[in-house]
């Protein structure tokens, strides 16, 4: 299996985070990649540097204002008096009455949905290269490979057209899916991260072009809180092209694997040429942000379900944060997906 990772993404290692009113260490740290790389190595998978895909694929998914903000924000932030070391939006607009502001503090609030995705000096470049890895995986599958993997960090599935959130800067899976659709391929995104893929849902919500399916813990009690219910089915031409499969908090292997199987059934009924799989290893019971209690064995079985579905699949890394099991979880999934022992 070909796998893609851009070493430049290690320069992004977010610091600020807030959890239940307390400032805490951000979970989207560069060490995540080191542990995931170790997991790949354990099953004999090396990584390649992805080619630079340029701005066009990103522009299919994200607004010009948002991309401009991401590129310029850190530089403009340095001109503020007493500015902190990372760009953070401490005020958010209440749309639709809001107007787009000119100043960097206001634009930070406009384009940052929460306090989990601070921007540092190297974040924009890292996000571009993270998206490049996803595009490389998608194009590898498009060229005929049955599987490819992108170690994309920062992750992406909470980022919408013009808002970064939940550790996510650009939506890597959506960029990959849009690139495949632009090439004339029928494409679906199946998100099996513990959190609802709200950004991916929002990007494609009113479009029939890309099917979106998310398996996740109940957002009445879990991030991202405001979306992810089963009645969210798409809108306008996209009605019926979005599916949410919701699990009660704390569920384990049996319920999660049944939900993943259900999600794959939705995808197969759609009749895809390529599946983009948003892989979140934060379903594991030891993950610091976990809302489910899936085991390493269960994650491996999910890989087997993906393989048995027989779909050409680009696997894009989403969550999975610092725990002793992180590398083992990726290795288990890859063993299942590739059919190796």
């Amino acid at each position: 299996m070909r796998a893609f990772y851009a070493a430049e993404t290690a320069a992004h290692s977010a610091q600020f985070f807030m959890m239940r009113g307390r400032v805490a260490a951000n979970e989207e740290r560069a060490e995540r990649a080191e542990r995931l790389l170790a997991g790949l190595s354990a099953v004999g998978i090396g990584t390649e540097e992805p080619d630079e895909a340029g701005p066009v694929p990103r522009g299919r998914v994200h607004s010009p204002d948002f991309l401009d903000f991401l590129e310029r924000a850190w530089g403009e932030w340095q001109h503020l008096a007493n500015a902190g070391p990372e760009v953070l939006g401490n005020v958010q607009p209440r749309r639709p009455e809001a107007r787009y502001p000119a100043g960097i503090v206001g634009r930070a609030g406009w384009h940052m949905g929460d306090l989990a995705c601070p921007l540092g000096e190297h974040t924009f470049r890292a996000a571009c290269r993270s998206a490049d890895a996803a595009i490389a995986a998608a194009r590898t599958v498009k060229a005929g490979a049955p599987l490819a993997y992108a170690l994309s960090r920062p992750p992406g599935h909470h980022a919408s057209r013009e808002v970064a959130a939940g550790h996510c800067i650009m939506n890597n899976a959506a960029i990959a899916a849009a690139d495949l659709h632009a090439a004339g391929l029928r494409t679906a995104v199946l998100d099996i991260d513990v959190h609802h893929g709200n950004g991916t849902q929002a990007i494609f919500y009113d479009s029939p072009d890309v099917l979106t399916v998310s398996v996740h813990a109940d957002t009445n009690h879990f991030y991202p809180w405001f979306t992810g219910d089963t009645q969210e089915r798409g809108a306008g031409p996209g009605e019926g092209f979005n599916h949410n499969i919701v699990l009660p908090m704390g569920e384990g292997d049996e319920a999660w694997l049944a939900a993943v199987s259900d999600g794959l059934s939705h995808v197969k009924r759609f009749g895809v040429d390529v599946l983009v799989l948003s892989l979140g290893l934060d379903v594991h019971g030891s993950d610091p942000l976990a809302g489910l209690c899936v085991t390493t064995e269960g994650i491996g079985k999910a890989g087997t379900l993906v393989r048995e579905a027989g779909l050409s699949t680009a696997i894009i890394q989403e969550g999975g944060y610092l725990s002793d099991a992180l590398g083992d979880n990726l290795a288990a999934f890859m063993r299942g997906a590739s059919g190796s022992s």
Side-chain angles (χ1 to χ4, degrees), residues 157-158 191 193-203 205 212-234 242-249 259 266:
H157 71 151
H158 296 309
D191 190 324
D193 188 280
V194 73
H195 302 98
H196 176 228
N198 60 316
T200 310
Q201 172 177 295
I203 287 165
Y205 201 66
T212 51
V213 183
S214 180
V215 174
H216 52 267
D218 184 0
T219 54
N220 282 297
H221 306 285
F222 201 54
Y223 189 90
W225 304 107
F226 309 115
T227 62
D229 291 340
T230 56
Q231 67 265 30
E232 296 163 17
R233 301 267 297 161
N242 185 82
H243 300 276
N244 289 317
I245 303 170
V246 184
L247 293 170
M249 297 286 289
H266 280 294

Side-chain angles (χ1 to χ4, degrees), residues 109-132:
W110 187 278
H111 292 298
M112 303 177 80
D114 53 40
L115 299 176
C117 51
L119 307 182
E121 181 178 4
H122 304 292
T123 299
F124 176 69
R125 178 62 178 167
C128 290
R129 296 298 283 143
S130 182
D132 287 342

